[in-house]
Amino acid sequence: MSNVTMTVNGKTVSGSVEGRTLLVEFIRNDLHLTGTHVGCDTSQCGACAVHVDGKLAKACTMFALEANGSEVSTIEGQANEDGSLNVIQQAFKDHHGLQCGFCTPGMVMAAADLLKTNSKPTELEIREHLEGNICRCTGYHNIVKAILAASGQDVSNIAAE
Amino acid sequence: MPKDSGIGAATRRREDARFLLGSGRYSDDIVLLNQTYAVFARSEVANGIIKTINTSEAEKMPGVIAVFTGDDFVDVGGNPAGWLINSRDGEPMKEPKRPVLAHGKVRHVGDAYAAVIAETEQQARDAAEKINADIMELPAIIDMTSALSGSNYVHDEIETNQCFDWGWIEDNREATDNAIKNAHHVTTLELTNNRLVPNAMEPRCSIADYNAANDDYTLYTTSQNPHLTRLLISAFVLGIPENKLTVVSPDVGGGFGSKIYHYGEEALVLAAAKRIKRPVRWTASRSESFMTDAHGRDHVTKIELALDKDNNFLAFRTETMANVGAYLSNFSTVTPTILHGTLMAGNYSVPNIYVNVKAVFTNTAPVDAYRGAGRPEATYSLERVIDKAALELNLDPIALRRQNFIKSDQFPYVTAAGLNYDVGDYDAIMDRLEHHADIKGFAERKKISEKQGKLRGFGVNSYIEACGIAPSNLIGTLGARVGLYDAATIRVNATGNISVMVGAHSHGQGHETAFPQIVADMLGVDPNNVEIVHGDTSKIPFGMGTYGSRSLAVCGSAIVRGIEKIIAKGKKIAAHMMESTEDNVDFEDGVFSVRGTNKTVSFGDVALKAYIPHNFPIEDIEPGLEETAFYDPQNFTYPAGAYACEVEVDPNTGKVSIERFAAADDFGNIINPMIVEGQVHGGLAQGIGQALLEGCVYNDDGQLISGSYMDYTMPRAADLPSFVVDHTVQTPSTDNPLGVKGCGEAGAIGSPPTVVNAVINALRSAGHDITHIDMPLTPARVWAAMNN
């Protein structure tokens, strides 16, 4: 077992982990931040997406020890300071960008990553950016719409009727 | 005008906040004190005799608490099939036992034969690898045709691989044969409905907690229907009395059918928790999901369509082999039969229909209902053979469909496949579709595609589905071993807010938002004062859960019936309060009034009076304001629609891209249009996935070679377009008080033939004499078809 220390959602945390302990296991089982999910075992689905040192990362594909000393942010750290939904989260709610909610934290983290570097993405850019995130419920239509809306773009032409 | 709240409003979902903030509570998020971990040892071969299982080394591994094998469960029951299907000759189907852990034989890759319980998941995993099983591999039975003709059996004791040979409707067989023999034209098509893996994003998870002092159990599990799971465990598998077993399905991350069924892992963790007197938890890896979740579809079908000289449909006749896998999953026998054969009239007036289905055991994972469940298979066969007939007869595919539609003035219409369609207007739906599809503009778009070196094709279809399977009286005669009602308890609290306990289970469908819209409308209260409770057998009435697009039509109707009882009792209380009689009391917009007077009392005052019954006629009225209703519908609901798709095909690679997709559906009355649209979007994505991307493949040895997201192509955002969805045609169902129809499966039912029809159209426009390609239409398959 080795000691690991990192900053998660602005708080310094530490723990004792095995070498094989994944970052997502540390986040879920040790820190009890269960908003980060595990949907596959091949780094494909993106339900475990978090930000590590400002970059989008799949927490199932890093060892906890690899994040030693890093700044990690998870879905639990995304809300506004007063606890209300941030712009992206609110857009997902306004545009029905989620159904069962299981992929949603990863989608929000991926969307935040995109909008950080591309403040007005096109529909195609959004769809391509989500290549590492699988949703089985929404057909992506409303996720794409939500991200466009979160970036302040007009989504009335994407309306379904 | 759109409403702000209540029925018809696009109310934003109240459940979203917890999912968006990361505070959902899925099964795997639940942590119990002193919990232990189960890991399963699973067969690496498709078919084999278990000679010995040596667990001694595993038992000595660090942290190991217990090891289980099939021997530990020989005295308990098996996981049963929920529906008895009889063969054409009257013989009942074959029902081999499905044990908790494999015993004697393993029958598919992933079949669990042992389980380790340890202090940590890693320790359990390490120990499971030390289980030494001597399994003698046998030739795998994979191909359905060989399975039916061969003498190797998945289950030796039944001495056949045929579960049943079902005819629907047997009395129509001769007339159908004659109609086809004497027809002006017969179009024949052989096709495969590809095997799919449901792939809810949340893997299955089950956690058992046993309280020795009370001798009772709690099972937290990823179920679409906690009461059904409890019933199966109690009555058939472990014999735990229902009153000693609570099943909780908290937030569930999608189901699509795969979480309807009871699985052996649920029984294992319960039995283990009792033995070791500590909580036992198991969460599937995605690999385990691929190997052990019930799969979907997997039909091989020959369909014939007979037409007269005026292109009127005379008959449909099909022969289907349906794969049921190695064991009968709970609804595996009704899916390829009742849910498939009865839909074989589609949207059409056709006098003769005969359907034959042979269900086949193979050394593959069990196959059961997956979004659509039998209806996509029926629709795909019909809508592909109709398109082929249009090709052969040089007819416009829309005109051929319209000519043969059941007309709006023919309802109620009893089809030759035995269903009674109550209402519909298929021409009106097609009008909406043609509007959105902009058929006039297709030629210009095709030119543009061709300038870019791409082929462009247009495809269309129509579909009908039957949702909210019912009534119990009828399905009982058809072999159902369950009833298919649902239930709701309306508890008006003393301060006037309302808790509604429902039998339906929400795992993405938005019940927590949509159900209060009904309650708010009927009682004239703020929907925010209504809370929905679901997914816990200790809190809710016995309902049958959520699948088959039944929640609103069946459970929503139970809510309506419950509220009607609340209003009736409220009138009695109000009459007492206003010194009148209940016959003279009206209720509207949350206010009780005495007719012809200005006397009124509010709903809240009546609620308070019910719980503080001072000066209350307790000899006439019980205190409290709580009512339960069970609702058993008198018929299915019959949503219908028409879909149109335009594809581009790259002739150099065979790659297909969806350029436009329009869906026009008739779901009857709509409670929340935003949720309805979302349901259609998701169904479309799954149907397009089936058409272009997804295919579950076993090789001849029975190895699952599409066992991860590296190999099984899930639709991703860039594979799909934005959709145009229209639900302005609304013919309210006449069989439930809300006038609603199911919407959850429509997209998955209607889209596969639409896409395939479009691709065939594109290829033929470039001179390729291609009439059919089996799904999924991967670049390799399309390229091969173009290049022979």
Side-chain angles (χ1 to χ4, degrees), chain A residues 116-154:
Chain A
K116 210 159 42 182
T117 54
N118 184 350
S119 61
K120 300 280 179 211
T122 64
E123 178 179 339
L124 184 63
E125 285 171 339
I126 293 170
R127 288 182 180 277
E128 290 182 344
H129 185 79
L130 296 178
E131 65 171 355
N133 294 76
I134 302 176
C135 171
R136 193 56 151 170
C137 292
T138 65
Y140 304 98
H141 180 110
N142 284 339
I143 292 176
V144 172
K145 197 169 163 184
I147 297 172
L148 279 168
S151 69
Q153 301 186 71
D154 177 16

Side-chain angles (χ1 to χ4, degrees), chain A residues 18 20-22 25 28-29 32-47 58 75-80 83-86 88-105 107-108 123-124 126-145 148 157-161, chain B residues 12-17 19-24 26 28-31 37 120-123 126 196-203 251-254 256 281 285-288 370-371 436 507-510 673-679 681-683 685-686 689 694 707-710 712 714-728:
Chain A
E18 287 187 69
R20 62 181 170 178
T21 302
L22 301 170
E25 293 170 338
R28 285 182 58 81
N29 301 340
H32 300 300
L33 295 172
T34 54
T36 303
H37 297 148
V38 179
C40 76
D41 38 31
T42 51
S43 196
Q44 303 279 304
C45 82
K58 288 181 175 172
I75 189 67
E76 288 88 349
Q78 299 303 300
N80 296 326
S84 60
L85 301 179
N86 74 12
I88 295 171
Q89 290 166 322
Q90 187 63 45
F92 270 68
K93 178 171 180 175
D94 290 344
H95 297 282
H96 192 27
L98 64 153
Q99 291 182 26
C100 82
F102 196 79
C103 77
T104 305
M107 289 289 177
V108 170
E123 178 179 339
L124 184 63
I126 293 170
R127 288 182 180 277
E128 290 182 344
H129 185 79
L130 296 178
E131 65 171 355
N133 294 76
I134 302 176
C135 171
R136 193 56 151 170
C137 292
T138 65
Y140 304 98
H141 180 110
N142 284 339
I143 292 176
V144 172
K145 197 169 163 184
L148 279 168
N157 288 333
I158 303 174
E161 275 186 278
Chain B
R12 273 29 183 181
R13 299 199 325 168
R14 60 177 67 178
E15 45 271 82
D16 287 359
F19 297 137
L20 285 160
L21 293 167
S23 47
Y26 299 89
D28 190 59
D29 300 339
I30 293 168
V31 176
Y37 294 80
T120 71
E121 188 171 13
Q122 285 84 354
Q123 287 172 334
D126 290 344
L196 303 174
V197 181
N199 273 308
M201 292 316 298
E202 178 203 24
D251 288 329
V252 172
F256 314 112
R281 64 185 300 137
S285 67
R286 181 56 61 183
S287 300
E288 285 180 296
Y370 163 63
R371 199 173 197 167
H436 290 297
H507 35 278
Q509 296 87 345
M674 178 191 79
I675 290 175
V676 166
E677 284 172 15
Q679 289 291 310
H681 295 159
Q686 287 178 348
E694 299 180 42
S708 79
Y709 290 148
M710 313 279 280
Y712 184 97
M714 291 284 281
R716 290 173 191 263
D719 296 319
L720 299 166
S722 287
F723 307 110
V724 175
V725 177
D726 179 301
H727 42 72
T728 52

Side-chain angles (χ1 to χ4, degrees), chain B residues 5-119:
Chain B
S5 67
I7 290 173
T11 303
R12 273 29 183 181
R13 299 199 325 168
R14 60 177 67 178
E15 45 271 82
D16 287 359
R18 69 175 186 269
F19 297 137
L20 285 160
L21 293 167
S23 47
R25 184 171 179 259
Y26 299 89
S27 293
D28 190 59
D29 300 339
I30 293 168
V31 176
L32 299 181
L33 272 178
N34 235 358
Q35 64 186 6
T36 65
Y37 294 80
V39 165
F40 290 83
R42 299 186 181 277
S43 178
E44 295 176 1
V45 302
N47 190 12
I49 295 170
I50 302 172
K51 302 284 230 186
T52 57
I53 301 175
N54 187 337
T55 61
S56 57
E57 197 180 347
E59 284 165 13
K60 290 179 201 142
M61 290 288 287
V64 171
I65 302 161
V67 179
F68 290 81
T69 68
D71 286 344
D72 293 298
F73 294 95
V74 287
D75 295 331
V76 306
N79 190 357
W83 206 294
L84 173 67
I85 298 295
N86 290 323
S87 287
R88 293 190 290 128
D89 60 7
E91 278 291 305
M93 66 187 192
K94 305 292 185 192
E95 291 186 78
K97 185 177 177 183
R98 185 181 184 193
V100 174
L101 290 173
H103 193 253
K105 263 179 122 178
V106 287
R107 294 186 173 87
H108 65 91
V109 166
D111 203 1
Y113 56 80
V116 174
I117 317 297
E119 297 289 345

